[in-house]
Amino acid sequence: MRDFIDIGALEDIPVRGARVLKTPLGCIAVFRTAEDEVFALEDRCPHKGGPLSEGIVHGRAVTCPLHNWVIGFEDGTVQGPDEGAVPTWAAKVEGGRVLVDVALTAKRNAA
Amino acid sequence: MKPKLVVIGAGMASGRALEHLVEAAPDAYDITLFGAEPRGNYNRIMLSPVLSGEKTYEEIVTHDADWYAANGIATRFGDAITGIDRERKVVVTAAGETPYDKLLIATGSNPFIIPLPGHDLKGVLSYRDLDDTQAMIDASTIPGAQAVVIGGGLLGLEAAAGLALRGMDVTVVHLMGHLMERQLDEAAGYLLRRELIGRGIKVLCSANSSEILGADGRVTGLRLDDGTELPCDILVMAVGIRPNVALAKEAGLATGRGIHVDDQMITSDESILAVGECVEHDGAVFGLVAPLYDQAKVAAATLLEQKAAFKQRTVSTKLKVTGVDLFSAGDFAEGEDREDIVFRDPARGVYKRLVLRDNRLIGAVMYGDTADGSWFFGLMNDGADMSEMRETLIFGPAYQGGAALDPMVAVAALPDEAEICGCNGICKGKITTAIANGATTLDAVRMTTKASGSCGTCTGLVEQVLAVTLGEDYAAPAAKPVCDCTDLTHEDVRRLIKASELKSMAAVMQECGWKTSCGCHVCRPALNFYLLADWPLEYLDDPQSRFVNERNHANIQKDGTFSVVPRMWGGITTPDELRAIADAADKYAVPTVKVTGGQRIDLLGVKKADLPAIWSDLNDAGMVSGHAYAKGLRTVKTCVGTDHCRFGTQDSTAFGIAIERRMWGSWTPHKVKMAVSGCPRNCAEATCKDVGVICVDSGFEVSVAGAAGMDVKETEALGKAPTEDEALDLIVAFVQLYRENAKYLDRPYKWVAKVGMDWVRERVVEDAASRTALIGRFDLSQGIYQTDPWAERATPKAQRDFAPLANLTLEAAE
Ligand code: SRM
Ligand SMILES: Cc1cc2nc3c(=O)[nH]c(=O)nc-3n(C[C@H](O)[C@H](O)[C@H](O)COP(=O)(O)OP(=O)(O)OC[C@H]3O[C@@H](n4cnc5c(N)ncnc54)[C@H](O)[C@@H]3O)c2cc1C
Ligand code: SF4
Ligand code: FES
């Protein structure tokens, strides 16, 4: 079983919006869909590094604010004619709280 | 001697478990049933018809005294269990102890009461049992009584509808953006809300309660956090339930959100079973009876030492409000791996949405016509492959088995009497006759027959008739839809928003037959603008439908930082303002300070989290946002004019400032830039702006629709005015006409090219009444939108919203 860590209240993320989470692995965008699901993706567009947390959320996808690439939440892959993917982490809502994979608190292995 | 079974809770789950038990083995146990309520098992879900007056309590009793007697069940109603002594295997009540060999816990759940100030006042009710229901019925008999229901979920809405039927004045206060958000998507939530409003129920969504008001220990009203007060005689709180685990927890059984049970419904103590809403199975808790009935069956089997296992399954929901047809089942969230099939019939108020994954049906939401609900639900539970019927699936079982529908063939097969345009009652024959007489384009058909000229939803059908009739000769019109979510053009959508008084995004998407459930990044910003421009009072701006710059009130840079541009009215600044800008640049380590092409100063490279603070500093020095990011008024450039220049004819600087002061903050289809030059030498470059003014001795020459960006174009004369006031009237009226009619992202020069300068002049210059009306509507909108976004974000909440949600780097460092 995966371990989760509480990062805040669901209400603190706007519906069809996102908030940034600072982690040792870099900035993570935590999205909330119209259906109140949450997803955690690296906050960097595979195109030119646009902050995905600032994009427009529709369905289970976000449109990058810089040049409109569309990135799907479930596996972080770029939709349509463009190609690429962003890393994703497990995230869920429980009792109005947002939980993300505890792996996000770990320092990158200094390998 | 028979082993003793004690059951705690006479609810729906235990009632069903006892039925199974005594039916299978009447003599297996010596049974004692305890219930906290002073009555036996009744059908709790039918409390809503009791509330609305459609049923009586007697009609919903499931087990009466005769049944318990006939099955040898000893009943102890009104005698709540206060403790379980697992060691000695006894349960404790106020009346004493009762021993057990097997114990079945079925304590259900407790309604959740938000601990708002005043929640313990008399008249604050929950909605769970017959006593609650009776209290509501009693309150409704007072003439003119008012009720507030907090919670727009299943229970809250059933309570609201029941109270309304009993003649109460009811307001529903719901925290989320649409009703029943857990069961319905936004589109269906919109239809439901429309229906309830039609029944006289007031519905407030996105409304946050802050305090329950009272006098003499009784509730008198509810205050929302925006200050609104809703007077009421009763307040029903229906915001959710919590499994009732207190007893089990105290007895030391393993609990989480509910009492932990395994597949056999056995708790962490093998003599104790649990069923119903009080349990947690494999991480899930329950709130509908279907799975509880499955649990009851398993629990009975386990008690009889038979093999059985509980398996969770998809559940479906219906709202029990007479006349409201609504169905929801499964998982209807959107996703990449999912495919949506959406069907809307705006005229009948029908919305259906099916969600498929790997060609299997996994979710369904329906409103208005739910006849096929159970058929879809069956398909969902079967997990059957839908590829064969994919094309016609949404039409239900009646359409299955035949060949896939080819729309062209279907249209060709329509008889001449078939109605094509419902609004105007135009049948196919009339259209084909018009085509034979030379109407070979959509517009021509519209002109001659009116077909598709009203609501426009039959446009596609009319085009198909044209295509079928003309064959190869028909060239489909080039009108481009807004995006893939709809077939309508921007112009169509704008017209419908006005004509059908569509005042919310969900209303537009439903009534215009949007093909997606919540739009996309192309249509949402456009709709958001159209709605706020056309309904400034009714529509609430949706920041999540705005592009990044407008949402953050700053221009995003390629590295994710932002730029900050304060307004410099008419290009005029002061030493104090310049000092404040310099101080801010120092304080926030702004890497670049630049004079823009718009006569003001740009601070580039500010971090997002610093934005509210730098804005607040600039606010303190008297400066407001320059809207350098907005589809709205940007700059009004001026020259020095009569104040200093030897050629100046009017005070161009002061007039520029007056225009900017009047028009700042207004949202427009695209950005709007203006300039005022003091003489025809035109040092402010007024003749390539969206609106330009050239001052002359006799007054002001106003010209519009210039461009100097991707296209370069000189402005065209709009009119000449002898005074500043009259010139300003022309400008305001022109901008309002543009706001009301242009397509989103058309600059004025593009829009004017479509409608023609004559059309514009007629409404702005020649027709004084039309000009006055345009100005009135502009000012009305300014009353709401002329606010400084910087000042609005000087609150701690806004500052939090601009900061990261959490910082896990600190956590790791600890
Ligand atoms: C800051 C500024 C350049 C400067 O350093 O001077 C500027 C900067 C940008 N301009 Fe501009 N424009 C600036 C004056 C102009 C002017 C000159 C003017 O206003 O007199 C023009 C030509 C006049 C016109 O608008 O017709 C101009 C025509 C454009 C266009 C083309 C518009 C068109 O309809 O063809 C765009 C693209 C767009 O808006 O779609 C654009 C877009 C942009 C954006 C917003 C690009 C973007 O989306 O990120 C740039 C933002 C930079 C940033 O990060 O802040 N900018 N831009 C000027 C800000 C003026 C101000 O004080 O608000
Ligand atoms: C108004 C209303 C409408 C509903 N509509 C629907 C619907 O349309 N469809 C649907 O599927 N579901 C509906 N539900 C939900 C459904 O009623 C519940 O899921 C179901 O009743 C739960 O059954 P249960 O046996 O777990 O709990 P309950 O039926 O609540 O029974 C628990 C019983 O245990 C008693 N109890 C608690 N603690 C003790 C104690 N210490 N000692 C003795 N007794 C105790 C309680 O007093 C209660 O009588 C509705 C619920 C309500 C209130
Ligand atoms: S011309 Fe305008 S849009 Fe182009 S790079 Fe310069 S500032 Fe950016
Ligand atoms: S950086 Fe995201 S689309 Fe270019």
Side-chain angles (χ1 to χ4, degrees):
Chain A
M1 225 165 90
R2 218 190 276 279
D3 277 335
F4 286 86
I5 175 164
D6 185 326
I7 54 162
L10 180 64
E11 277 166 35
D12 291 337
I13 309 176
V15 177
R16 288 198 201 110
R19 289 290 295 278
V20 173
L21 178 67
K22 283 194 152 176
T23 77
L25 303 181
C27 283
I28 304 298
V30 185
F31 294 94
R32 173 177 178 185
T33 66
E35 330 277 7
D36 276 349
E37 305 158 299
V38 291
F39 296 92
L41 278 73
E42 188 177 48
D43 195 17
R44 258 183 74 82
C45 179
H47 178 217
K48 292 191 175 174
L52 298 177
S53 56
E54 301 288 0
I56 290 185
V57 175
H58 44 96
R60 275 190 180 164
V62 62
T63 300
C64 175
L66 294 196
H67 318 95
N68 290 340
W69 279 25
V70 178
I71 287 99
F73 289 156
E74 275 129 305
D75 53 5
T77 54
V78 175
Q79 304 181 354
D82 307 310
E83 276 177 28
V86 273
T88 61
W89 279 272
K92 62 181 180 181
V93 181
E94 247 178 50
R97 306 292 299 177
V98 179
L99 311 180
V100 297
D101 193 331
V102 75
L104 282 170
T105 58
K107 278 239 157 52
R108 217 188 295 264
N109 280 337
Chain B
M1 252 207 10
K2 284 194 274 186
K4 295 187 187 59
L5 171 67
V6 166
V7 181
I8 311 181
M12 300 200 62
S14 68
R16 184 56 68 94
L18 289 176
E19 270 174 35
H20 286 303
L21 188 63
V22 297
E23 200 173 311
D27 296 317
Y29 285 97
D30 197 348
I31 306 173
T32 311
L33 172 62
F34 286 88
E37 289 184 68
R39 58 188 77 86
N41 302 64
Y42 60 91
N43 188 347
R44 190 174 308 283
I45 71 178
M46 296 314 266
L47 284 175
S48 291
V50 172
L51 176 64
S52 64
E54 287 157 292
K55 278 203 179 341
T56 62
Y57 169 65
E58 288 68 34
E59 286 175 86
I60 69 165
V61 170
T62 49
H63 304 87
D64 55 16
D66 292 345
W67 186 84
Y68 298 122
N71 291 290
I73 298 174
T75 58
R76 301 275 292 273
F77 299 142
D79 200 5
I81 304 282
T82 54
I84 303 170
D85 186 339
R86 285 161 54 204
E87 219 131 269
R88 293 167 43 230
K89 286 194 161 188
V90 295
V91 294
V92 185
T93 73
E97 295 187 345
T98 309
Y100 66 81
D101 297 299
K102 291 275 181 193
L103 183 64
L104 177 63
I105 305 182
T107 47
S109 39
N110 291 322
F112 181 64
I113 299 288
I114 316 170
L116 290 173
H119 69 272
D120 42 10
L121 289 165
K122 243 195 236 128
V124 176
L125 306 170
S126 53
Y127 188 20
R128 180 73 194 173
D129 58 25
L130 186 67
D131 297 334
D132 299 328
T133 312
Q134 194 57 48
M136 285 191 248
I137 295 173
D138 292 346
S140 71
T141 57
I142 308 165
Q146 295 173 302
V148 165
V149 177
I150 303 184
L154 208 65
L155 276 189
L157 295 182
E158 290 188 6
L163 291 170
L165 267 182
R166 293 219 175 235
M168 273 188 123
D169 180 0
V170 183
T171 305
V172 175
V173 174
H174 190 49
L175 181 63
M176 308 305 288
H178 70 268
L179 295 174
M180 288 181 67
E181 76 285 347
R182 288 171 39 174
Q183 291 88 10
L184 300 183
D185 59 9
E186 197 175 346
Y190 157 77
L191 286 170
L192 174 59
R193 178 173 180 181
R194 193 175 73 173
E195 167 69 31
L196 295 176
I197 290 175
R199 293 173 179 224
I201 298 174
K202 292 182 221 49
V203 182
L204 306 180
C205 288
S206 307
N208 205 350
S209 309
S210 71
E211 185 182 355
I212 302 174
L213 309 170
D216 305 327
R218 258 204 87 81
V219 61
T220 58
L222 175 71
R223 183 179 302 131
L224 305 182
D225 66 0
D226 65 1
T228 313
E229 285 187 12
L230 306 165
C232 64
D233 302 279
I234 54 167
L235 185 141
V236 181
M237 226 187 267
V239 294
I241 52 172
R242 297 283 181 273
N244 186 356
V245 298
L247 200 58
K249 207 167 172 177
E250 213 165 282
L253 294 177
T255 59
R257 280 190 294 163
I259 306 170
H260 285 168
V261 292
D262 62 12
D263 289 352
Q264 280 66 50
M265 308 315 295
I266 299 174
T267 66
S268 58
D269 177 333
E270 62 183 76
S271 315
I272 305 182
L273 287 74
V275 289
E277 281 180 351
C278 58
V279 309
E280 175 178 336
H281 173 267
D282 199 10
V285 293
F286 307 85
L288 292 169
V289 292
L292 308 188
Y293 286 167
D294 292 347
Q295 294 174 1
K297 200 168 186 174
V298 173
T302 306
L303 285 169
L304 297 173
E305 284 165 17
Q306 294 163 0
K307 266 215 170 74
F310 172 61
K311 260 182 67 187
Q312 293 178 27
R313 56 173 173 145
T314 315
V315 290
S316 68
T317 316
K318 285 188 112 173
L319 183 70
K320 300 187 303 303
V321 171
T322 308
V324 174
D325 274 330
L326 167 168
F327 176 92
S328 137
D331 177 357
F332 51 85
E334 291 190 16
E336 253 177 84
D337 57 339
R338 291 135 192 253
E339 236 186 314
D340 261 351
I341 308 177
V342 175
F343 170 88
R344 307 199 195 222
D345 181 344
R348 286 195 302 139
V350 170
Y351 169 80
K352 301 185 190 185
R353 174 159 156 238
L354 301 178
V355 182
L356 299 176
R357 187 175 56 205
D358 301 334
N359 278 322
R360 280 163 229 283
L361 190 59
I362 60 163
V365 183
M366 280 182 264
Y367 191 95
D369 174 2
T370 53
D372 300 331
S374 47
W375 185 69
F376 289 129
F377 191 53
L379 292 178
M380 211 178 293
N381 282 325
D382 294 350
D385 189 307
M386 298 287 117
S387 339
E388 294 280 294
M389 30 175 163
R390 167 78 178 72
E391 293 297 311
T392 53
L393 182 62
I394 192 110
F395 300 111
Y399 285 82
Q400 306 313 318
L405 282 176
D406 174 346
M408 284 307 197
V409 175
V411 169
L414 286 176
D416 275 350
E417 312 78 66
E419 188 173 86
I420 301 287
C421 171
C423 297
N424 296 298
I426 310 298
C427 60
K428 182 183 165 192
K430 217 161 173 182
I431 298 175
T432 46
T433 312
I435 297 172
N437 291 335
T440 53
T441 64
L442 179 62
D443 278 342
V445 170
R446 234 177 233 167
M447 290 292 276
T448 45
T449 67
K450 286 207 186 73
S452 82
S454 298
C455 82
T457 42
C458 62
T459 307
L461 257 184
V462 175
E463 285 188 71
Q464 283 164 5
V465 174
L466 273 160
V468 164
T469 316
L470 294 173
E472 301 274 279
D473 294 341
Y474 177 65
K480 260 186 53 192
V482 177
C483 59
D484 288 344
C485 302
T486 176
D487 295 328
L488 299 177
T489 62
H490 280 273
E491 288 75 11
D492 286 334
V493 174
R494 282 219 85 166
R495 190 169 39 74
L496 286 165
I497 287 176
K498 291 191 187 69
S500 317
E501 304 206 357
L502 307 177
K503 300 182 183 176
S504 69
M505 197 121 14
V508 176
M509 291 183 181
Q510 172 61 26
E511 305 297 343
C512 298
W514 239 245
K515 288 180 273 186
T516 50
S517 64
C518 75
C520 70
H521 67 275
V522 178
C523 57
R524 287 228 314 269
L527 293 182
N528 190 54
F529 167 73
Y530 295 154
L531 287 161
L532 71 81
D534 287 340
W535 308 108
L537 300 181
E538 293 93 338
Y539 178 70
L540 198 66
D541 182 35
D542 176 19
Q544 299 312 129
S545 294
R546 286 184 177 270
F547 289 119
V548 52
N549 290 355
E550 292 190 351
R551 190 170 349 105
N552 291 330
H553 300 279
N555 283 309
I556 195 164
Q557 311 291 301
K558 60 179 197 170
D559 63 354
T561 62
F562 289 84
S563 67
V564 172
V565 185
R567 234 173 235 297
M568 266 178 198
W569 308 94
I572 294 289
T573 183
T574 64
D576 280 343
E577 283 186 355
L578 291 174
R579 260 188 292 273
I581 291 174
D583 287 345
D586 275 343
K587 183 167 165 190
Y588 300 98
V590 172
T592 307
V593 182
K594 184 179 181 306
V595 174
T596 73
Q599 297 189 343
R600 45 194 191 171
I601 291 176
D602 195 349
L603 300 167
L604 295 131
V606 181
K607 289 186 211 62
K608 182 179 179 192
D610 284 340
L611 286 174
I614 191 171
W615 292 340
S616 160
D617 287 1
L618 294 169
N619 265 170
D620 289 344
M623 285 175 272
V624 298
S625 167
H627 291 93
Y629 45 79
K631 310 283 179 258
L633 181 76
R634 295 280 179 94
T635 52
V636 182
K637 300 212 296 187
T638 71
C639 71
V640 288
T642 43
D643 265 3
H644 302 279
C645 177
R646 63 198 164 114
F647 295 116
T649 61
Q650 308 277 355
D651 190 350
S652 50
T653 321
F655 186 44
I657 294 174
I659 300 173
E660 194 168 352
R661 292 254 177 216
R662 172 81 172 271
M663 308 198 74
W664 72 279
S666 58
W667 298 103
T668 42
H670 204 312
K671 57 191 170 189
V672 172
K673 298 175 176 180
M674 305 191 187
V676 185
S677 289
C679 83
R681 286 171 195 76
N682 193 17
C683 296
E685 299 165 320
T687 50
C688 61
K689 293 284 174 275
D690 298 300
V691 175
V693 179
I694 304 285
C695 302
V696 290
D697 278 326
S698 56
F700 304 83
E701 285 172 353
V702 180
S703 63
V704 296
M710 286 174 280
D711 295 309
V712 179
K713 176 180 169 288
E714 193 180 340
T715 50
E716 297 173 55
L718 177 68
K720 197 175 153 183
T723 64
E724 276 191 12
D725 285 349
E726 285 159 287
L728 191 50
D729 277 359
L730 291 181
I731 295 171
V732 169
F734 171 78
V735 169
Q736 180 65 12
L737 194 68
Y738 169 58
R739 297 182 73 228
E740 289 178 6
N741 292 283
K743 169 181 158 214
Y744 189 65
L745 299 187
D746 264 359
R747 286 290 282 270
Y749 77 95
K750 289 200 174 152
W751 165 66
V752 169
K754 287 179 188 164
V755 297
M757 217 33 221
D758 289 342
W759 187 87
V760 172
R761 252 184 241 114
E762 200 180 298
R763 283 158 183 78
V764 173
V765 186
E766 284 142 33
D767 183 342
S770 149
R771 179 170 64 244
T772 312
L774 284 165
I775 294 169
R777 292 198 292 274
F778 181 79
D779 288 340
L780 175 79
S781 165
Q782 284 296 76
I784 289 148
Y785 285 103
Q786 195 175 55
T787 53
D788 176 24
W790 291 1
E792 279 177 352
R793 280 157 190 77
T795 62
K797 175 172 183 332
Q799 309 203 353
R800 271 201 309 279
D801 289 347
F802 274 72
L805 178 60
N807 189 340
L808 299 183
T809 55
L810 301 176
E811 198 113 358
E814 272 169 26

